[in-house]
Amino acid sequence: MGRTRKPKLAVWKFASCDGCQLSLLDCEDELLDVVGAVEIAYFPEATRVSSRGPYDLSLVEGSITTLDDIRRIATIRKASKRLVTIGACATAGGIQALRNFKDVHEFVAAVYARPDYIDTLDRSLPIAHYVPVDFELRGCPINKYQLLELLSALLAGRRPSFPEHSVCIECKRRGAVCVMVAQGTPCLGPITHAGCGAICPAFARGCYGCYGPMETPNTASLGERWTALGVPPAAQARALRTFNAWAEPFRAAADAAAAAGKDRQP
Amino acid sequence: MKTRVFQREGLQPLLEALAEQFDRIIGPTVRDGAIVLDEIASDADLPAGWTDDQQPGRYRVGWRDDEAVFGFAAGPHAWKRFLAPPDVRIWTVRRDAGRLQFEPGRTVPRRDAFVGVRPCDLAALDILDRVYLQGPYVDPGYQARRQAIGIVAVNCTAPGGTCFCASMGTGPRAGAGFDLALTELVGDGRHEFLAEAGSARGEGWLDKVPSREASADDRAAAARALEEAAGRMGRRLDAEGLGDLLYDHLDHEAWDDVAARCLTCGNCTLVCPTCFCTLVEDRSSLGGESAERWKRWDSCFSREHSYIHGGYLRASGRSRYRQWMTHKLAGWHDQFGTSGCVGCGRCITWCPVGIDITEEARRIRGAEGTPAAERIRS
């Protein structure tokens, strides 16, 4: 490939738990290859070394929740040739987007002794709401193999392979037995984006939907099946309102289920 | 070819005879609440006394009243898992002093003995052979794996609620394509197997099992058990003229109805014993010194599967379900000279929302429409 210098990698954090950044450090066996292939120019979770932009690749974790975040992401975008969001917070607003369904100022007043110290936006929104994003890595947290695939693909100048189909296809590939069919366990796998390798169903748990909506999710049909399995609408709404609560198909389905749940109450 | 009868205790010597000639014995075993296909160490791993209850979108294992070893219907796994595995490395390439060195994936397959292959699944292997071996291009990986297997078929005496092999003409009795075919005879204090050899190799295995000559009564008992099984199929599919019928009703409202229920999750295609679609994926190392090309199971229910430059050919769930069903029941006849469906019922049982291909076909059959079959074929 005749690279003259190593590409500069920066890892940025917004409102998040750091888990996705840690997936990079979790690469263990591959970590030396990573630092051999790229120059880690900014990654406070891993090193105090900090070099100025521009950066060839910025990995962005977390959602935008403050005015300062909006300014910071704009600066990062300008300094980055490629910007890739990592994880459910950065791609869908994260678990903290649950605030979007309520008045955040009520939370602030209830939680903090001095609410006037807190300056926050009404909503937790994904990075792509504010700046153009070149690629999104799903998951809560992301899968380290997907991260390595992203880096390898960008370094080789090829398109990364990230299937957008259901978790079911991964589940069947690994030979797991469908928990919904064989055990009656409610599972979000059929409407959830692949990427995790179907970890939960392989351990006899229903999918929690960490990777958000798949390419063409039929949430209504799955909801009917969950109802037949005995899951009340309010519980269906809760299952959809987790890490990807603000992702449109999950949000709409949860809203519909929540409304149906209210109708049912005496 | 020999037909003999051996006692239940004869299964273990049979497995031992197989173990002498094969690297692995693959057969049914209970795991994760289902009767799956996996490596078998001895007859103790076989699901003696187990059975299953299968309905659209529902599968449960349970106990039988007897100790029948093969008293259950097709499970979640199909044999394609071993012949056309979910992830196959086609090749690896390395940079070596300025040159690219290519190295093929595994070329010497494991020798597998398949034990407990149902007649529907034998029919599926025959279909896969047509797809992979009898077209203009032969799949060398499949060919090598296929040539290395041995088959002990087991005729089906316990069809499930979603089975319809009798109406597809593929079961419950195995016609050909096996080394040995067993029929389990259980009840009234009897637990024996009628064993028909289908090859010299199968006869050789049978020679290592203590057995007696099959009497007319034994043969009659087996025939009766299989006749009863044919009458207990949970479903049927009227395949007569079905291909043309589907081509004639490509715009039928039934497709909208099924699309409203279809999750486009792909489960039906992955449990299907004949669905063969794959994608090809390239991987490269971080430093760029090596790369790999993989072939992985894919599904026509994935939107990406129909992506060509500029967009998706089958963007809607409606078009994807229609593609799958018309290909399976109509297009395969044109392409491979056979239906793609063997009536195993897996797609019905393992659809998370219980979509039933026999029911969908019945809806179309009840419909009027304009002939399109000729147009499509021309």
Side-chain angles (χ1 to χ4, degrees):
Chain A
M1 259 162 283
R3 288 176 202 143
T4 50
R5 63 165 181 87
K6 287 201 265 183
K8 280 168 114 175
L9 172 75
V11 184
W12 309 93
K13 173 188 162 67
F14 288 83
S16 57
C17 77
D18 287 32
C20 291
Q21 296 182 58
L22 290 177
S23 298
L24 187 55
L25 296 178
D26 188 35
C27 287
E28 296 177 355
D29 292 346
E30 300 86 358
L31 200 52
L32 288 176
D33 289 337
V34 173
V35 295
V38 300
E39 178 197 338
I40 296 186
Y42 182 82
F43 188 8
E45 187 80 69
T47 170
R48 258 180 276 172
V49 172
S50 168
S51 52
R52 296 160 60 90
Y55 308 100
D56 295 285
L57 171 64
S58 277
L59 299 176
V60 179
E61 178 197 79
S63 68
I64 302 293
T65 57
T66 67
L67 273 175
D68 185 56
D69 284 348
I70 298 175
R71 285 188 284 269
R72 198 155 60 92
I73 192 64
T75 310
I76 292 168
R77 175 69 267 192
K78 269 187 202 149
S80 310
K81 284 189 193 160
R82 285 223 169 86
L83 188 155
V84 175
T85 59
I86 55 170
C89 297
T91 59
I95 190 85
Q96 60 274 23
L98 288 173
R99 69 156 71 171
N100 302 5
F101 299 92
K102 303 281 184 188
D103 180 358
V104 72
H105 302 290
E106 281 182 33
F107 290 138
V108 171
V111 171
Y112 295 99
R114 289 290 304 269
D116 51 314
Y117 283 6
I118 305 297
D119 185 12
T120 188
L121 298 170
D122 290 342
R123 288 178 168 180
S124 165
L125 292 175
I127 301 298
H129 183 81
Y130 294 98
V131 296
V133 167
D134 297 298
F135 215 85
E136 292 183 326
L137 271 193
R138 303 284 200 94
C140 182
I142 56 166
N143 175 333
K144 74 168 186 176
Y145 296 106
Q146 287 212 323
L147 184 60
L148 289 168
E149 163 64 4
L150 173 86
L151 295 174
S152 313
L154 292 181
L155 288 167
R158 66 179 169 85
R159 187 175 168 227
S161 168
F162 294 116
E164 296 173 350
H165 55 59
S166 69
V167 169
C168 300
I169 291 181
E170 297 186 309
C171 197
K172 287 289 185 286
R173 271 193 201 138
R174 73 184 283 169
V177 175
C178 178
V179 296
M180 197 148 64
V181 170
Q183 279 149 46
T185 303
C187 178
L188 287 175
I191 58 168
T192 299
H193 194 288
C196 64
I199 297 170
C200 293
F203 289 90
R205 301 294 297 263
C207 167
Y208 292 92
C210 305
Y211 279 63
M214 53 88 97
E215 56 194 6
T216 51
N218 189 342
T219 52
S221 179
L222 188 70
E224 277 180 37
R225 191 63 182 175
W226 276 38
T227 302
L229 292 173
V231 184
Q236 292 184 29
R238 276 199 300 278
L240 290 162
R241 283 180 184 159
T242 60
F243 327 102
N244 293 281
W246 201 246
E248 175 57 27
F250 281 11
R251 190 190 349 158
D255 286 350
K262 271 187 192 133
D263 291 345
R264 280 199 183 177
Q265 276 166 16
Chain B
M1 288 284 158
K2 281 181 197 166
T3 300
R4 312 271 305 168
V5 171
F6 65 82
Q7 300 284 312
R8 157 71 177 86
E9 292 69 33
L11 278 179
Q12 182 58 24
L14 175 61
L15 295 180
E16 285 164 13
L18 294 172
E20 285 174 19
Q21 291 181 18
F22 294 93
D23 300 324
R24 297 188 302 182
I25 299 173
I26 310 290
T29 193
V30 177
R31 168 161 64 77
D32 299 334
I35 300 169
V36 300
L37 299 177
D38 209 339
E39 204 167 338
I40 299 295
S42 77
D43 70 341
D45 290 339
L46 295 170
W50 289 91
T51 189
D52 50 29
D53 174 40
Q54 300 198 34
Q55 301 301 330
R58 188 178 190 280
Y59 177 103
R60 293 292 184 279
V61 282
W63 290 103
R64 292 174 58 89
D65 297 333
D66 56 31
E67 283 297 303
V69 181
F70 297 99
F72 54 88
H77 291 164
W79 298 95
K80 71 178 180 184
R81 165 166 294 280
F82 306 99
L83 290 171
D87 300 280
V88 174
R89 198 179 72 226
I90 302 173
W91 47 250
T92 303
V93 59
R94 290 189 179 81
R95 286 179 201 279
D96 184 12
R99 292 175 64 90
L100 295 180
Q101 298 289 349
F102 283 86
E103 190 184 290
R106 190 188 181 94
T107 46
V108 181
R110 264 186 299 241
R111 294 168 302 162
D112 285 340
F114 290 180
V115 172
V117 181
R118 298 301 191 179
C120 56
D121 284 341
L122 275 182
L125 293 186
D126 182 60
I127 293 173
L128 289 181
D129 287 350
R130 294 184 193 219
V131 171
Y132 286 116
L133 305 177
Q134 293 164 23
Y137 304 100
V138 168
D139 182 312
Y142 177 89
Q143 186 176 43
R145 286 184 287 268
R146 180 73 168 94
Q147 285 169 350
I149 64 165
I151 295 180
V152 177
V154 177
N155 289 325
C156 191
T157 49
T162 56
C163 287
F164 54 103
C165 71
S167 60
M168 297 307 288
T170 58
R173 186 195 190 100
F178 53 81
D179 294 300
L180 203 58
L182 310 180
T183 307
E184 190 165 22
L185 300 167
V186 67
D188 300 327
R190 175 184 211 186
H191 196 170
E192 293 178 316
F193 288 91
L194 182 85
E196 302 159 62
S199 70
R201 187 165 61 159
E203 283 190 332
W205 305 338
L206 202 47
D207 286 343
K208 304 212 171 153
V209 180
S211 67
R212 61 175 165 81
E213 193 64 41
S215 69
D217 279 357
D218 294 325
R219 291 168 200 265
R224 209 163 40 240
L226 295 174
E227 206 173 301
E228 281 170 19
R232 281 204 309 274
M233 299 278 150
R235 285 180 152 65
R236 73 180 307 277
L237 179 66
D238 182 1
E240 183 66 37
L242 188 55
D244 282 350
L245 189 79
L246 293 175
Y247 283 155
D248 286 343
H249 294 91
L250 295 176
D251 293 317
H252 194 270
E253 61 193 15
W255 302 118
D256 296 315
D257 185 81
V258 71
R261 286 170 283 135
C262 178
L263 299 168
T264 63
C265 60
N267 276 303
C268 49
T269 58
L270 301 171
V271 295
C272 176
T274 69
C275 274
F276 55 82
C277 284
T278 52
L279 56 81
V280 171
E281 197 174 87
D282 288 342
R283 295 267 153 167
S284 53
S285 68
L286 281 162
E289 37 321 268
S290 69
E292 294 176 339
R293 175 159 290 180
W294 287 79
K295 184 161 76 169
R296 304 189 198 280
W297 281 3
D298 197 16
S299 171
C300 54
F301 281 88
S302 138
R303 184 173 60 174
E304 189 81 15
H305 188 75
S306 73
Y307 182 82
I308 58 166
H309 175 74
Y312 302 100
L313 285 177
R314 291 185 283 275
S316 70
R318 179 187 191 275
S319 61
R320 279 177 252 166
Y321 187 87
R322 192 180 67 177
Q323 157 66 24
W324 176 67
M325 188 165 151
T326 53
H327 188 215
K328 183 82 31 194
L329 299 175
W332 285 59
H333 285 284
D334 304 333
Q335 206 176 349
F336 306 114
T338 173
S339 170
C341 176
V342 297
C344 70
R346 286 185 179 91
C347 61
I348 307 173
T349 299
W350 298 97
C351 172
V353 294
I355 292 172
D356 178 349
I357 190 171
T358 67
E359 185 57 36
E360 299 309 322
R362 201 167 295 122
R363 282 170 186 238
I364 305 274
R365 193 173 283 286
E368 299 275 314
T370 50
E374 289 310 311
R375 177 162 51 82
I376 286 165
R377 289 229 164 84
S378 62

